Amino acid sequence: MEFFDFDQLYTNKQYSYQKAVASIGVFDGLHIGHQKIIEHALLIAKEIGDCDSVVFTFAQNPKMMIGRNSFSLPLLTTRMVRNIYDSLGVDKVVVIDFSPDFSKLTGEEFIARLTSLFDIRAIVVGDNFRCGQNADTTPQEIASFINKYTKNASVIVPNMYRLSDGTVDSSTLVRTAILDGNVATCATLLGRNYSLDLAHIPSRKNEWPLKVSIGSFVQLLPPPGEYEALLVLHDFSSLKVLCKINEFNVILSLVDEQRELEMLHSKRETPRYDRLEFIKELS
């Protein structure tokens, strides 16, 4: 999988003859609904043959950039985003810098630029996708003009992924669940446990409980409270931990301290941390 800058590709056009199916979206949190869109694009690309699946996404959430979204912290770090795209089997990811100049493009101007980067055979988006200045261009409108810019391309809108009660999956639901401390709900929305990236945290093999400053995290944190969690190490082994969050620190205590300390001591190297997965809220 490769990452590219939208503006650089627009300048050099190095893949303008490569067949591609594009999925477009902010993909904030990469919840199950987002994954379904991307997987649909992957399936179409495979059916076409010799065709790349290309995700077009944004370096910044446009709604946050223009003040329409109060949930300002990200749900994933860049490292975690890359890992998820890689696990899905995406060929290329093109990142758009939502600059003031870019925000002035109409929806048609944006699609015209996008379709010049690859030989686009299909565009897959969610029903609620909007693009262009004032976010006023719908998938139906894109379908009406796309063949002006690329031959035989189609716009495909898969059925929206819904929860068991009929609610459409969304990043807002994920963020609300986290901020309310309902971390157990996140697995239903994300298809995985909500996790904090710990790859940047120094290893502390014999220092328990493990205490990490709130300021060390760039992601959205659950509120102060106690949570059942898994501490996942770089080799993907894991430790059951009790996670206590207060206004200053995230504090991790081993659940079965004797057994899990023995496991840690058995490792040849001081283990590095990968992530903290929240299982359920305790208080």
Side-chain angles (χ1 to χ4, degrees), residues 37-153:
I37 291 170
I38 294 169
E39 288 169 351
H40 199 92
L42 285 162
L43 179 62
I44 296 170
K46 184 177 180 179
E47 290 174 347
I48 293 172
D50 189 27
C51 183
D52 281 348
S53 61
V54 183
V55 170
F56 286 85
T57 189
F58 295 83
Q60 315 90 356
N61 188 324
K63 290 182 180 179
M64 293 179 186
M65 293 290 289
I66 59 180
R68 290 193 297 179
N69 192 323
S70 60
F71 304 150
S72 58
L73 291 174
L75 298 174
L76 296 165
T77 63
T78 300
R79 184 184 79 96
M80 298 170 90
V81 168
R82 286 176 177 266
N83 287 344
I84 294 173
Y85 283 136
D86 196 42
S87 69
L88 290 172
V90 172
D91 294 308
K92 294 178 173 64
V93 178
V94 179
V95 180
I96 300 164
D97 178 16
F98 194 72
S99 63
D101 287 341
F102 187 91
S103 69
K104 295 174 185 176
L105 295 177
T106 66
E108 185 165 350
E109 288 170 336
F110 166 58
I111 295 299
R113 291 192 183 191
L114 184 149
T115 54
S116 73
L117 306 186
F118 295 88
D119 178 8
I120 298 292
R121 300 303 176 94
I123 291 177
V124 183
V125 292
D127 184 60
N128 59 354
F129 175 78
R130 300 291 183 273
C131 64
Q133 192 174 32
N134 302 317
D136 55 5
T137 304
T138 67
Q140 293 73 27
E141 289 173 296
I142 295 172
S144 72
F145 60 66
I146 189 172
N147 289 134
K148 290 168 57 177
Y149 304 102
T150 182
K151 295 180 179 178
N152 303 316

Side-chain angles (χ1 to χ4, degrees), residues 186-203:
C186 292
T188 304
L189 303 170
L190 296 170
R192 62 186 185 277
N193 296 322
Y194 182 64
S195 302
L196 298 179
D197 196 340
L198 298 181
H200 62 292
I201 303 299
S203 299

Side-chain angles (χ1 to χ4, degrees), residues 60-281:
Q60 315 90 356
N61 188 324
K63 290 182 180 179
M64 293 179 186
M65 293 290 289
I66 59 180
R68 290 193 297 179
N69 192 323
S70 60
F71 304 150
S72 58
L73 291 174
L75 298 174
L76 296 165
T77 63
T78 300
R79 184 184 79 96
M80 298 170 90
V81 168
R82 286 176 177 266
N83 287 344
I84 294 173
Y85 283 136
D86 196 42
S87 69
L88 290 172
V90 172
D91 294 308
K92 294 178 173 64
V93 178
V94 179
V95 180
I96 300 164
D97 178 16
F98 194 72
S99 63
D101 287 341
F102 187 91
S103 69
K104 295 174 185 176
L105 295 177
T106 66
E108 185 165 350
E109 288 170 336
F110 166 58
I111 295 299
R113 291 192 183 191
L114 184 149
T115 54
S116 73
L117 306 186
F118 295 88
D119 178 8
I120 298 292
R121 300 303 176 94
I123 291 177
V124 183
V125 292
D127 184 60
N128 59 354
F129 175 78
R130 300 291 183 273
C131 64
Q133 192 174 32
N134 302 317
D136 55 5
T137 304
T138 67
Q140 293 73 27
E141 289 173 296
I142 295 172
S144 72
F145 60 66
I146 189 172
N147 289 134
K148 290 168 57 177
Y149 304 102
T150 182
K151 295 180 179 178
N152 303 316
S154 57
V155 177
I156 299 169
V157 182
N159 292 331
M160 299 286 279
Y161 175 75
R162 296 179 182 273
L163 307 178
S164 58
D165 63 359
T167 304
V168 174
D169 199 1
S170 72
S171 299
T172 297
L173 289 178
V174 177
R175 290 175 177 276
T176 299
I178 294 168
L179 290 173
D180 288 345
N182 298 326
V183 296
T185 302
C186 292
T188 304
L189 303 170
L190 296 170
R192 62 186 185 277
N193 296 322
Y194 182 64
S195 302
L196 298 179
D197 196 340
L198 298 181
H200 62 292
I201 303 299
S203 299
R204 304 169 195 173
K205 185 174 183 179
N206 299 313
E207 186 180 323
W208 295 96
L210 178 65
K211 184 184 295 185
V212 183
S213 168
I214 291 291
S216 300
F217 298 98
V218 298
Q219 294 166 261
L220 188 67
L221 291 176
E226 295 187 357
Y227 304 88
E228 181 182 324
L230 286 178
L231 177 61
V232 181
L233 307 180
H234 76 288
D235 62 1
F236 302 114
S237 60
S238 61
L239 307 170
K240 292 182 179 180
V241 295
L242 172 66
C243 173
K244 295 183 179 180
I245 300 178
N246 59 38
E247 60 180 313
F248 303 108
N249 298 296
V250 173
I251 304 168
L252 306 179
S253 302
L254 296 172
V255 172
D256 187 346
E257 188 166 353
Q258 181 176 349
R259 184 185 69 82
E260 292 174 335
L261 280 177
E262 288 176 357
M263 188 269 278
L264 286 172
H265 288 310
S266 70
K267 295 180 180 290
R268 294 182 179 180
E269 301 177 351
T270 301
R272 301 189 306 276
Y273 310 121
D274 186 82
R275 64 189 183 274
L276 177 68
E277 294 189 6
F278 290 93
I279 306 300
K280 65 179 180 180
E281 56 278 6

